[in-house]
Amino acid sequence: MAQEEGQNGGAEKTVVEVSFKSVKPQLFVEAPKATDAIQFYKAAFGAVETCRSTQPKRKADQELPHIVSAVLQLAGSTFIVADLSDDSSSTKGGGAGFAMCLETEDLKAAVAKAVAAGAVSESEIVEVEGACCCAERVTKVKDPYGFVWQFCSPSNKCGTLISVKFSAYLD
Amino acid sequence: MAQEEGQNGGAEKTVVEVSFKSVKPQLFVEAPKATDAIQFYKAAFGAVETCRSTQPKRKADQELPHIVSAVLQLAGSTFIVADLSDDSSSTKGGGAGFAMCLETEDLKAAVAKAVAAGAVSESEIVEVEGACCCAERVTKVKDPYGFVWQFCSPSNKCGTLISVKFSAYLD
């Protein structure tokens, strides 16, 4: 007999309640061009950078730090720019990739509800410090129409190590 | 002698001032699946549809109207879902395509500033009733990183013909 995995041990079907704090488009560019792309969005559209998370340099010859995520404000909305890495939550898209980031405290419930509606789980829940500038745990699904939705759960430690408010970082 | 086109007749370089009222990600799906995609985003994420613009059916055997744009609210933000048509402002992306829509009153200035920063103009200004649910004139550029930015100028006639508030349309 096949049994469904039930991490909460419940056999009854329950209505999954999920709330999201924010939704942000995330634009992935080929590394290490995120720095240039951010400058372009400032010059072209007047975007304002409010936060940047970077990864420590892995090689001495890398001049630019890998941008895990940079948060830009534009016309009252927020979007994220990131260098594409192997584990980036993206489909191939305009630029190097694109995902919609949904912030929630209950990643499992968010995935369960999306999968019940027809999405396909694309990854386990993983820890990515600096994702969406202040997320510690992330996972993703692909919807039936080909778009990737990344669920992010913010960490209380947000901003302490590699994620810094941009006002204190540059300018 | 090559002369630059100057529709305002000015030879002096001027600083282009452009203001944007909103920025919204637009997800293009293969027609005619936008209707299904909207249902999915409601079921999976709790998105709320607030506006839908449709094109009149062109063929008698088309069961679903072509969705020019549908506006969805989610977690305090707005995104747009549209059926992909030949003239959709998109790069190939996740799903059938993706663009970032910027609403502005001065399309020419917006394009000029973006091109000056390094973008490439992708189309003339065209009239697309129902684009972004209430835009009459649209144009687009591609940024140096491959993303399409669609500039939309809302029409005063918005909502009178094919664009309807969703509350009066369904549900």
Side-chain angles (χ1 to χ4, degrees), chain A residues 23 41 91 94-95 98 143 145 147, chain B residues 41 74 91 94-95 98 143 145 147:
Chain A
V23 54
Y41 298 132
T91 50
F98 165 70
D143 74 29
Y145 312 95
F147 292 102
Chain B
Y41 298 133
L74 175 55
T91 51
F98 165 71
D143 75 28
Y145 312 94
F147 292 102

Side-chain angles (χ1 to χ4, degrees), chain A residues 74-115:
Chain A
L74 175 55
S77 292
T78 301
F79 67 103
I80 298 169
V81 177
D83 275 319
L84 183 71
S85 60
D86 291 342
D87 61 349
S88 287
S89 300
S90 69
T91 50
K92 288 294 175 188
F98 165 70
M100 293 282 274
C101 292
L102 283 164
E103 183 183 335
T104 182
E105 292 185 353
D106 193 339
L107 297 177
K108 286 183 181 176
V111 170
K113 188 172 181 180
V115 168

